[in-house]
């Protein structure tokens, strides 16, 4: 897909920033942290609860977007002398800074997750923690939950260990740089192994019936106070890095299930008829889907750079709706217990700086490995976490979509009436005259309405921009 950036004028950028401020108000987005929360965060940053174990000799590295400073994870990958691999995966130890029941803890429960806007983020924790004292920044000694996962030659987890330890990241890498280093053969072995282990874990995902959707994303780009939109198809390195996190989440779920207390990230199986609808979409998009090929196998064969494949991958996201959190305690089995896309029990535990539930999952896993009862503060919060996380996730998803809508309208506001080339990527099942189109340039995805004929899913069509006004009218197209 094209990735040429479209920039607005400075005046347009100012108007958009005003609309984004209004959006925050409309969505009741949390504002500045209360004074008592900031004060508690500053005290915790100066005096965290540090572990006795020292693992600063492990040369960890982080992989994040280049501007990120809230770094949750750091890893080190190595070969085992007897064969297989050893993965060290350090996760920021937020519990070392947050006192249960304190003002900082209460504010985190109110927010539940970090929110992202084009002009800045609304963090889960104050910057003194999330961007400094608790973040796994390079060349800083930090408290962490240090996972050690020993894998066999096929990438299967043989043993799992978890302990609190001091760690020290040696390098801060970004996805483009990682992909280039691996592709050109210049990556040192700890980084080069990311591709080997990542591919092995992807193969195991296929074996167990799991699925990862490589859906092209709209990306908001900021430059000199203005914003633009580009399309970005996921890089292989994105998927390999995600597999390390998924593997850890599966290991965390196994630990909590064995201990009898925990909280899982769950997704029900697709409802009856959902896969049948996807088969109809595949036919409309002229994608060959033999009956003997499972859904997961087809998805892995698609190229997200091709418009028809990208449209189908977008349709596949309909099978991922309904995810939630399922707590459980001794004598009460989790129901559901499986994440349908992962095809295994799974837990969120690798992003505690940005997601509330991860702090609790990590604490329960530490107790499970140590063979001790989990702390009461962690157990007592489990029943309320699903509702808190659901509210936070809904707000995060709404904020992201509404922000993209604003940028789209700002990019196109002076082009109402123009005709664009587009691909139909979605058609409403019960309203076939209404659907969604993806423009090739600029990188806009918008609603399209037809006055007389059904929209042809997957076809390239010409559309006329009917409306676009940031803050008042979202982008809408009509058939040209």
């Amino acid at each position: 897909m094209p990735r040429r950036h479209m920039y607005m004028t400075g005046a347009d950028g100012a108007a958009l920033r005003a609309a984004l401020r209004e959006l925050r108000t409309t969505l009741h987005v949390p504002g500045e942290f209360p004074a008592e929360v900031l004060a508690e965060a500053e005290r915790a940053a100066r005096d965290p609860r540090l572990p006795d174990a020292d693992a600063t000799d492990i040369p960890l590295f982080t992989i994040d977007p280049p501007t990120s400073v809230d770094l949750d994870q750091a890893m080190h990958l190595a070969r085992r002398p007897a064969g297989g691999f050893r993965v060290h995966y350090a996760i920021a130890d937020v519990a070392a800074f947050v006192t249960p029941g304190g003002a900082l803890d209460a504010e985190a429960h109110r927010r539940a997750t970090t929110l992202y806007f084009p002009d800045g983020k609304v963090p889960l924790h104050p910057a003194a923690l999330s961007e400094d004292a608790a973040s796994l920044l390079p060349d800083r000694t930090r408290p962490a939950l240090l996972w050690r996962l020993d894998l066999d030659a096929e990438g299967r987890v043989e043993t799992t260990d978890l302990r609190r330890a001091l760690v020290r990241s040696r390098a801060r890498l970004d996805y483009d740089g990682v992909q280039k280093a691996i592709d050109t053969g210049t990556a040192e072995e700890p980084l080069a192994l990311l591709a080997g282990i990542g591919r092995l874990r992807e193969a195991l995902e296929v074996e167990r019936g799991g699925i990862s959707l490589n859906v092209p994303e709209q990306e908001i780009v900021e430059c000199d106070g203005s914003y633009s939109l580009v399309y970005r198809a996921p890089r292989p390195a994105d998927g390999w890095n995600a597999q390390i996190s998924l593997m850890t989440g599966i290991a965390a779920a196994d630990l909590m299930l064995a201990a009898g207390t925990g909280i899982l990230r769950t997704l029900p199986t697709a409802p009856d008829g959902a896969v049948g609808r996807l088969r109809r979409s595949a036919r409309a998009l002229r994608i060959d889907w033999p009956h003997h090929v499972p859904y997961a196998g087809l998805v892995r064969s698609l190229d997200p750079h091709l418009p028809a494949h990208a449209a189908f991958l977008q349709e596949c996201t309909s099978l991922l709706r309904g995810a939630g959190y399922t707590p459980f305690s001794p004598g009460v089995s989790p129901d559901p217990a499986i994440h349908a896309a992962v095809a295994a029990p799974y837990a969120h535990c690798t992003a505690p700086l940005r997601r509330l539930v991860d702090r609790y999952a990590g604490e329960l896993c530490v107790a499970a490995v140590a063979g001790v009862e989990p702390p009461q503060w962690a157990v007592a919060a489990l029943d309320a976490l699903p509702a808190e996380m659901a509210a936070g996730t809904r707000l995060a998803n709404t904020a992201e979509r509404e922000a993209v809508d604003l940028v789209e309208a700002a990019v196109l506001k002076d082009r109402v009436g123009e005709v664009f080339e587009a691909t139909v990527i979605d058609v409403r099942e019960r309203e076939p005259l209404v659907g969604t189109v993806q423009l090739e340039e600029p990188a806009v995805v918008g609603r399209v309405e037809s006055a007389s004929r059904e929209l042809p899913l997957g076809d390239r069509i010409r559309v006329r921009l009917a409306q676009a006004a940031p803050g008042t009218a979202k982008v809408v197209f009509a058939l040209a």
Side-chain angles (χ1 to χ4, degrees):
M1 291 183 181
R3 294 191 63 188
R4 191 170 77 180
H5 295 191
M6 286 267 310
Y7 294 109
M8 298 169 289
T9 67
D12 288 337
L16 177 59
R17 285 191 292 277
L20 288 168
R21 287 194 296 272
E22 179 62 28
L23 176 61
R24 284 177 164 84
T25 301
T26 302
L27 296 179
H28 303 290
V29 169
E32 297 295 325
F33 286 97
E36 63 271 21
V37 173
L38 293 174
E40 186 178 329
E42 292 287 351
R43 291 193 299 271
R46 292 192 298 268
D47 188 26
R49 293 178 287 275
L50 298 179
D52 295 329
D54 189 327
T56 54
D57 59 318
I58 301 173
L60 301 165
F61 57 87
T62 59
I63 305 175
D64 289 277
T67 58
S68 294
V69 287
D70 49 350
L71 309 184
D72 289 286
Q73 315 106 11
M75 71 178 77
H76 181 264
L77 313 175
R79 297 183 187 276
R80 295 162 63 195
F85 309 93
R86 172 162 290 177
V87 175
H88 279 107
Y89 203 40
I91 306 300
D93 187 3
V94 176
F97 299 88
V98 178
T99 299
L104 184 58
D105 184 35
E107 184 67 14
H109 278 268
R110 187 170 78 88
R111 296 180 178 231
T113 186
T114 293
L115 306 177
Y116 294 92
F117 291 86
D119 56 346
K121 63 188 175 187
V122 180
L124 174 61
H125 303 101
L129 298 183
S130 62
E131 299 181 4
D132 190 1
S135 178
L136 303 184
L137 296 165
D139 301 318
R140 314 276 181 88
T141 299
R142 294 288 187 256
L145 304 185
L146 183 60
W147 292 83
R148 190 190 71 206
L149 302 166
D150 283 347
L151 318 181
D152 66 15
E154 295 181 336
R156 302 179 193 276
V157 176
E158 290 187 326
T159 61
T160 299
D161 185 56
L162 174 62
R163 57 179 172 141
R164 281 192 155 88
L166 293 174
V167 301
R168 192 173 181 88
S169 172
R170 298 296 198 276
R172 176 177 168 180
L173 309 178
D174 62 75
Y175 290 101
D176 283 334
V178 166
Q179 191 68 62
K180 181 178 179 180
I182 291 175
D183 289 346
T184 58
T186 57
E188 295 182 4
E189 181 167 274
L191 179 58
L193 285 175
L194 180 65
I197 295 173
R199 291 187 183 111
L200 289 172
R201 294 300 305 180
E202 286 173 341
L204 293 173
E205 182 178 71
V206 173
E207 181 181 294
R208 67 176 185 266
I211 185 65
S212 296
L213 290 178
N214 292 320
V215 182
E217 298 176 340
Q218 286 174 288
E219 191 169 70
I220 298 174
V221 178
E222 190 272 337
C223 181
D224 298 329
S226 294
Y227 301 93
S228 66
L229 285 159
V230 298
Y231 292 125
R232 188 181 74 80
R235 295 155 292 227
D238 295 31
W240 301 331
N241 186 58
Q243 287 296 330
I244 302 297
S245 180
L246 282 168
M247 176 175 65
T248 308
I250 294 171
D254 290 343
L255 286 175
M256 289 187 286
L257 286 168
T261 302
I263 184 165
L264 304 179
R265 179 61 166 170
T266 54
L267 177 69
T269 56
D272 291 342
V275 175
R277 182 176 184 273
L278 284 180
R279 284 195 174 274
R280 293 193 295 273
S281 296
R283 286 195 296 271
L285 291 164
R286 292 176 286 281
I287 293 173
D288 183 30
W289 186 354
H291 279 283
H292 69 275
V293 175
Y295 159 73
L298 174 72
V299 168
R300 288 191 174 278
S301 72
L302 302 179
D303 181 352
H305 296 87
L306 300 177
H309 290 192
F312 184 77
L313 288 168
Q314 187 63 48
E315 289 285 292
C316 289
T317 60
S318 64
L319 298 190
L320 303 183
R321 295 169 188 158
Y325 294 91
T326 304
F328 59 96
S329 55
V332 180
S333 298
D335 184 22
I338 300 293
H339 191 291
V342 179
Y346 171 64
H348 274 161
C349 65
T350 63
L353 292 176
R354 293 169 282 175
R355 202 167 47 206
L356 173 65
V357 69
D358 297 49
R359 169 161 50 108
Y360 289 87
E363 201 66 30
L364 296 173
C365 287
V366 168
V369 171
V372 300
E373 290 295 317
Q376 185 56 35
W377 62 263
V379 176
L382 291 182
D383 287 341
L385 276 173
E388 292 170 334
M389 290 305 304
T393 302
R394 280 195 303 270
L395 180 58
N397 292 340
T398 301
E400 179 181 353
R401 183 61 253 173
E402 293 289 334
V404 171
D405 287 344
L406 284 174
V407 176
E408 289 178 333
V411 167
L412 292 174
K413 74 180 185 66
D414 296 324
R415 302 178 71 177
V416 173
E418 284 191 34
V419 174
F420 299 84
E421 297 290 331
T423 301
V424 181
I425 62 170
D426 186 44
V427 177
R428 291 187 182 178
E429 192 167 15
R430 297 181 180 179
E431 295 180 83
L433 302 184
V434 180
T436 305
V437 290
Q438 178 175 285
L439 271 60
E440 292 192 0
E441 188 179 304
V444 168
V445 175
R447 173 173 168 162
V448 63
E449 299 175 354
S450 170
S452 57
R453 65 186 179 92
E454 293 187 6
L455 293 168
L457 182 64
D459 280 8
R460 287 172 58 86
I461 61 173
R462 288 161 58 81
V463 294
R464 179 175 285 104
L465 180 60
Q467 67 175 45
T472 20
K474 296 180 180 180
V475 169
V476 175
F477 297 95
L479 286 184

